[in-house]
């Protein structure tokens, strides 16, 4: 088999999974990560369906289950903190999606990195500066490291992918603001809410407290037209935006804002759709959020893991024909992505309703209906077993 020399940009969920599977295929893998170390922030994500199967094949399913978040329920409160509705998440999950694992993004990244670190070279604190490809390979210049030549380059570097920008075109061609911004910030451990998640909806805004296994997080999501000078790297700007949008909405939000204002690391980004018609050009391909972002509701990680597996499988099957492998990867994985992207605006409107009526319908009807369906499924399973 042809052994390839592959560069992956981004040691996130997609990049670490791909590194594992390409190394298993016998290829020499280098991962370059802009951050100085593995990034640990971010809200809980789900490892669902096809990604749970990939985790089984990587022998990390037990570790993921060990680190998983055991959420009991989701309580909706009003601005005074009074409970207005509750969904039994434990029952919902065990009835409808028993194999799904909810886990802190940082824990998922750590486990995936550990699985691949022995067989791949990781370079932290660097980034690709330029890419120049010909028929047999890609010359890569880095911000810090000396230039190198690779057989393939994969952009697994997220929503603001440098590989996409250098190889395919400006962000404005591919990235569409979906109308929302989202932020997560760590809270002091004393704010721990046990196993219950609490959510406050006001029109167009959601503030939530996620217990996250003793490392609680505040979660902010809000509808906002595209902020013209928004800079996803500018922490001080993020603090100002949060303050402008979440002051005076009540409940424990002042406490969450205080944590955000004191934070030195916070996830804050626009919720965006990335639509890249062709995920590859020659010997360069995109993976995860870089090619097809559906961030916000946890599916991004499932798609990143499932996509990494498909991409590695295609490359491992025909290493001498990268363009053919990339086409097969997109044909298979593109179907899964399309089904998830369809749900984004529907779920956004349920989770962050824009009006009082929308909030009433969401908390009293939508979530209760889902809980009712879960209870019915559970009952039918129990009757079936008897
Ligand atoms: C720190 C962090 C927190 C997050 N928190 C949330 C959240 O709270 N809610 C949510 O919906 N989604 C969040 N996301 C996005 C979510 O992780 C992804 O949607 C999903 O996991 C898909 O994974 P990915 O590997 O494609 O992208 P990501 O998980 O975003 O990983 C991309 C990786 O590439 C790295 N990178 C970026 N630019 C470069 C560059 N120029 N050179 C080298 N490396 C680069 C990043 O540092 C990161 O490690 C977060 C992402 C990160 C990085």
């Amino acid at each position: 088999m042809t052994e390839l020399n592959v560069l992956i940009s981004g040691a996130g969920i997609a990049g670490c999974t791909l590194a594992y599977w390409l190394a298993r295929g016998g290829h020499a893998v280098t991962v370059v990560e802009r951050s100085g170390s593995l990034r640990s922030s971010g809200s809980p994500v789900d490892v669902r369906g096809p990604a749970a199967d990939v985790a089984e094949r990587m022998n990390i399913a037990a570790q993921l289950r060990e680190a998983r978040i055991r959420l009991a329920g989701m309580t909706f409160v009003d601005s005074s903190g009074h409970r207005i509705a509750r969904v039994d998440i434990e029952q919902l999950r065990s009835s409808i999606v028993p194999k799904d694992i909810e886990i802190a993004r940082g824990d998922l990244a750590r486990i995936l990195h550990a699985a691949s670190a022995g067989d791949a070279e990781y370079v932290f604190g660097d980034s690709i500066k330029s890419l120049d490809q010909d028929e047999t390979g890609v010359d890569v210049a880095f911000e810090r490291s000396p230039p190198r030549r690779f057989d393939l380059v994969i952009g697994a570097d997220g929503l603001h992918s440098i590989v996409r920008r250098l190889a395919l075109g400006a962000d404005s061609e591919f990235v569409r603001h979906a109308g929302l911004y989202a932020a997560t910030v760590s809270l002091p451990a004393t704010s721990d809410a046990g196993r219950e998640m609490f959510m406050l909806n006001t029109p167009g805004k959601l503030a939530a407290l996620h217990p996250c296994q003793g490392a609680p997080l505040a979660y902010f999501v809000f509808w906002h037209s595209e902020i013209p000078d928004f800079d996803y790297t500018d922490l001080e700007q993020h603090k100002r935006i949060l303050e402008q949008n979440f002051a005076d909405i009540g409940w424990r939000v002042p406490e969450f804002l205080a944590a955000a204002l004191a934070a030195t690391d916070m996830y804050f980004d626009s919720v965006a759709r990335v639509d890249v018609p062709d995920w590859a050009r020659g010997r360069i391909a995109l993976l995860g959020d870089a090619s097809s972002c559906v961030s916000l509701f946890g599916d991004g990680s499932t798609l990143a893991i499932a996509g990494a597996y498909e991409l590695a499988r295609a490359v491992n099957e025909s290493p001498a024909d990268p363009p053919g492998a990339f086409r097969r990867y997109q044909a298979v994985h593109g179907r899964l992505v399309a089904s998830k992207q369809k749900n984004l605006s529907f779920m956004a409107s349920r989770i962050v309703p824009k009006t009082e009526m929308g909030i009433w319908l969401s908390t009293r009807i939508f979530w209760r209906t889902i809980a009712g369906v879960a209870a019915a499924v559970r009952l039918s399973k129990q009757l079936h077993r008897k």
Side-chain angles (χ1 to χ4, degrees), residues 9-15 32-35 39 41-43 105 126-128 156-158 162 184 219 267 287-290 295-298 300-301 304:
S9 174
I13 308 305
V32 60
E33 164 61 47
R34 186 185 53 186
S35 178
R39 301 196 54 192
S41 60
S43 60
R105 184 199 170 280
D126 206 350
S127 171
I128 296 173
D157 40 9
I162 186 76
T184 40
Y219 196 38
Y267 170 77
L287 171 66
D289 280 4
S295 58
L296 189 60
F297 305 119
S301 298

Side-chain angles (χ1 to χ4, degrees), residues 38 43 51 58 68 195 237 247 307 313 318 323 354 362 368 382:
L38 216 52
S43 60
M58 292 173 77
R68 81 179 189 273
R195 294 177 56 216
Q237 182 197 44
R313 180 157 72 168
S318 54
K354 290 180 180 169
S362 174
R368 279 188 188 169
Q382 280 165 357

